[in-house]
Amino acid sequence: MRRPQFSGDLPPNLVADTSVIINLNATGAAHEIIRSLNVKLSASTVVRDELIHDRISGRNDADLAQRLVQDELLQFAEFDEKSGAIFESLVSGTAETTLDDGEAATLALAVSSQGLAIIDERKAIRIATHRFPTLQLLATVDLLRLDRVLLALGNERLAKAVISGLKDARMAIPERHHGWIADLLGDQIVECRSLPAALRRAPA
């Protein structure tokens, strides 16, 4: 069974992985971006415990996430019996078939709540596609390129936010979004060394 395509309509329960919260923090516009989506993100308490003070960037993702919680843009959730069982099944087994705790917790919450998982890591996407074929998956950049985010930030600020996410969090950009990134960033794309070299050299 093929994974359902994203229609552009966001369900009420969006479950974010650790890297997604880090990416949004790194944009410098997390509050505006989430508000423009008109949702409250959910994440596991396992994810909460993975957020730390990044010594390299100086960004404290744990503190920034708590500000999102205080502004009712993010909530952390504990496992119930169902999600706990799914989590255990995702972290038990061989290295090829299991995930890190944060990714496993994100998928467990999304599946148990019939929500949508926002996750960037390729292995997690591969395993989720195999294990949970009806689960809808998005990447951070799927959110950033929604029209409502562009309307909230404007083109120039959106480009600045994406560049910050790329530089400060090495935000993953799936190949399907390379054209959009090149159009959005223009000549500034050469600054984003986390992107493939061929994309940075491509004419805008």
Side-chain angles (χ1 to χ4, degrees), residues 3-178:
R3 190 155 47 83
Q5 297 296 309
F6 178 49
S7 66
D9 296 325
L10 295 172
N13 192 12
L14 301 180
V15 184
D17 189 27
T18 311
S19 65
V20 175
I21 296 173
I22 291 172
N23 289 338
L24 291 173
N25 285 340
T27 65
H31 292 248
E32 290 173 88
I33 291 168
I34 300 171
R35 282 199 181 97
S36 75
L37 301 175
N38 196 28
V39 297
K40 176 189 267 190
L41 297 181
S42 295
S44 167
T45 51
V46 174
V47 164
R48 178 196 61 197
D49 295 341
E50 289 185 341
L51 296 168
I52 60 172
H53 184 178
D54 187 306
R55 292 180 180 178
I56 296 175
S57 68
R59 188 185 61 253
N60 191 323
D61 286 303
D63 284 352
L64 291 171
Q66 283 305 316
R67 292 178 197 172
L68 294 174
V69 172
Q70 290 165 7
D71 286 348
E72 300 187 346
L73 297 170
L74 172 67
Q75 61 185 358
F76 291 110
E78 300 276 359
F79 291 143
D80 59 15
E81 185 175 350
K82 181 178 181 181
S83 56
I86 297 171
F87 173 79
E88 288 300 327
S89 75
L90 289 167
V91 298
S92 304
T94 65
E96 180 67 18
T97 59
T98 56
L99 296 172
D100 291 341
D101 286 358
E103 294 150 3
T106 299
L107 294 180
L109 280 184
V111 171
S112 65
S113 64
Q114 298 184 317
L116 182 155
I118 315 170
I119 199 161
D120 291 325
E121 207 275 329
R122 289 182 181 180
K123 182 181 177 185
I125 293 170
R126 174 177 60 78
I127 289 177
T129 301
H130 175 71
R131 289 277 309 272
F132 313 111
T134 62
L135 175 65
Q136 197 164 64
L137 303 170
L138 293 182
T140 306
V141 69
D142 285 307
L143 300 181
L144 296 178
R145 68 173 299 178
L146 289 172
D147 288 345
R148 63 193 87 173
V149 176
L150 175 61
L151 188 63
L153 296 184
N155 199 73
E156 185 174 341
R157 287 193 62 217
L158 177 58
K160 183 178 179 181
V162 169
I163 290 172
S164 295
L166 289 166
K167 285 184 172 180
D168 297 339
R170 300 185 67 80
M171 178 171 60
I173 305 295
E175 190 173 350
R176 66 181 183 277
H177 293 307
H178 283 184

